[in-house]
Amino acid sequence: MNPSTVAEQSADGRGDVLIHDPSLRDGHHAVRHQLGAEQLRAYAEAADAAGVPVVEVGHGNGLGASSLQAGQARLSDDEMLAVVREALTRSRMGVFMLPGWGTTADLRKAIAHGVDVVRIGTHCTESDLAERHLGFLLEAGVEAQGVLLMSHMATPERLAKECAQLVSYGASAVGIFDSAGHYLPDDVTERITAIRAAVDVPVAFHGHNNLGMAVANSVAAVAAGAATLDACARGFGAGAGNTQLEVLVPVLERMGYGTGIDLYGLLDAADIAERHLMPAPPTIDSVAVVSGLAGVFSGFKTRVLDISRREGVDPRDVFFELSRRQAVAGQEDLIVDVALALRQDRLD
């Protein structure tokens, strides 16, 4: 038996788990969307060599999101897709899009670049916003998935209803994102169980690590019936980072789940990611903990820190006020309003 092949070590045969790797998309949040072509190529080639099934690429907020509001990327969508497409010979290429940031025109460009998997994301209670784009992808013959962001803000029953709606629009898989790193394992179990009972397509889980629970939450998800887990090399992602890929895969192997990923190749890819993609691996600092507790989108962290410093307010207060106002991804302008209000309160 080859000790480096995870799939061959899954002796008790619990089944396969599909690993979806958004390091080259979610990781952009951690470096202000400034990854260059050689960085993208180096990691994509390493992930491909390891047999990672899906490698997702793009601006942190997805197709069409490069902007002053969300952060201007170093490369255009076209440039990123071209580089990664060329680097992948085994892995499938994935992209992510939020309606309102991206458009059908952006999807057409991705299709022209040979994208294999497209995820359309919406806020957890707004799945209807994905109807048009899922329908377009269905007609185009491209694998289309629907995912719900900030999913801790909805009950298990509401998430199940929204996922069923996504399936009715043509989603071939559905998923929930713990966008704020707020969940504990029981929260995940309840939600995945409810969704599995409501749909007959694969269910995915995407974790963040603000409270140090990303791997545990991912394990809870697969135990409850999730078929796909998202994870990033060294946890490279927004805020405190995502589920750590090179930790999750051997944990799944020890539990008896197959992934088809070569462990040594995966560890090599993680080393390449640390050397070439990030100044340092994500850490759970004090602000990340507060973001997780408050249930605020992890991708807000850099802007909250920048604006809080400029306005002379405590970023922890900003996060808790954003939570009180139920802020969601796409409402970055609200950070300025909150910081100014807190500064005024202090002056008064």
Side-chain angles (χ1 to χ4, degrees):
M1 181 176 67
N2 178 358
S4 74
T5 303
V6 170
E8 292 180 2
Q9 293 179 326
S10 301
D12 57 359
R14 288 193 177 187
D16 293 335
V17 176
L18 179 68
I19 298 298
H20 189 108
D21 177 0
S23 300
L24 298 180
R25 196 273 304 168
D26 211 329
H28 256 122
H29 286 295
V31 291
R32 299 176 187 267
H33 314 284
Q34 294 303 298
L35 294 178
E38 291 309 312
Q39 292 171 295
L40 296 177
R41 181 178 292 106
Y43 181 73
E45 288 177 348
D48 185 75
V52 175
V54 181
V55 175
E56 186 176 284
V57 61
H59 184 281
N61 285 13
L63 296 175
S66 182
S67 62
L68 288 175
Q69 182 182 7
Q72 290 185 307
R74 180 176 175 182
L75 301 178
S76 68
D77 289 343
D78 282 327
E79 290 171 310
M80 287 189 270
L81 290 167
V83 167
V84 172
R85 178 72 281 167
E86 183 180 356
L88 300 181
T89 61
R90 301 168 61 195
S91 303
R92 305 175 78 203
M93 184 170 73
V95 296
F96 174 81
M97 196 187 86
L98 294 168
W101 287 117
T103 66
T104 301
D106 294 305
L107 293 177
R108 287 196 182 95
K109 289 181 181 179
I111 293 170
H113 282 286
V115 68
D116 298 298
V117 182
V118 179
R119 282 180 166 178
I120 304 298
T122 72
H123 182 60
C124 59
T125 59
E126 298 175 351
S127 61
D128 58 305
L129 296 179
E131 180 176 10
R132 176 184 175 188
H133 298 104
L134 288 172
F136 168 79
L137 292 166
L138 184 64
E139 290 182 5
V142 177
E143 181 176 337
Q145 303 180 0
V147 295
L148 303 175
L149 279 60
M150 298 294 287
S151 61
H152 70 281
M153 299 178 74
T155 65
E157 295 75 21
R158 180 62 184 271
L159 292 174
K161 178 181 177 181
E162 297 287 337
C163 283
Q165 186 119 303
L166 290 169
V167 173
S168 75
Y169 297 150
S172 62
V174 295
I176 57 172
F177 281 31
D178 182 17
S179 310
H182 184 71
Y183 281 145
L184 299 178
D186 285 349
D187 302 321
V188 177
T189 299
E190 291 176 354
R191 285 160 173 79
I192 296 296
T193 299
I195 295 167
R196 287 281 292 117
V199 302
D200 58 0
V201 300
V203 177
F205 176 75
H206 174 108
H208 280 254
N209 204 39
N210 295 64
L211 300 180
M213 302 302 294
V215 170
N217 286 338
S218 298
V219 168
V222 77
T228 300
L229 296 176
D230 289 12
C232 294
R234 290 290 192 272
F236 189 45
N242 294 44
T243 307
Q244 193 165 339
L245 178 58
E246 70 278 9
V247 175
L248 176 65
V249 167
V251 167
L252 291 172
E253 173 268 315
R254 286 200 62 190
M255 294 176 65
Y257 295 100
T259 65
I261 297 174
D262 181 81
L263 179 60
Y264 288 0
L266 181 64
L267 296 174
D268 291 343
D271 291 341
I272 287 171
E274 182 172 351
R275 288 197 304 269
H276 296 289
L277 302 186
M278 60 196 84
T283 59
I284 307 173
D285 59 20
S286 298
V287 172
V289 171
V290 170
S291 174
L293 287 173
V296 174
F297 175 46
S298 297
F300 280 5
K301 180 182 178 182
T302 300
R303 288 180 65 83
V304 167
L305 290 174
D306 289 347
I307 293 167
S308 297
R309 188 179 302 112
R310 185 184 74 200
E311 302 301 335
V313 298
D314 191 323
R316 297 171 295 186
D317 292 338
V318 174
F319 272 114
F320 280 119
E321 179 60 19
L322 287 169
S323 175
R324 190 186 70 79
R325 298 191 188 193
Q326 297 284 286
V328 299
Q331 293 182 315
E332 284 83 356
D333 287 348
L334 192 57
I335 300 170
V336 176
D337 296 341
V338 167
L340 290 173
L342 289 171
R343 186 185 69 176
Q344 189 59 46
D345 288 345
R346 188 188 63 193
L347 292 175
D348 292 345

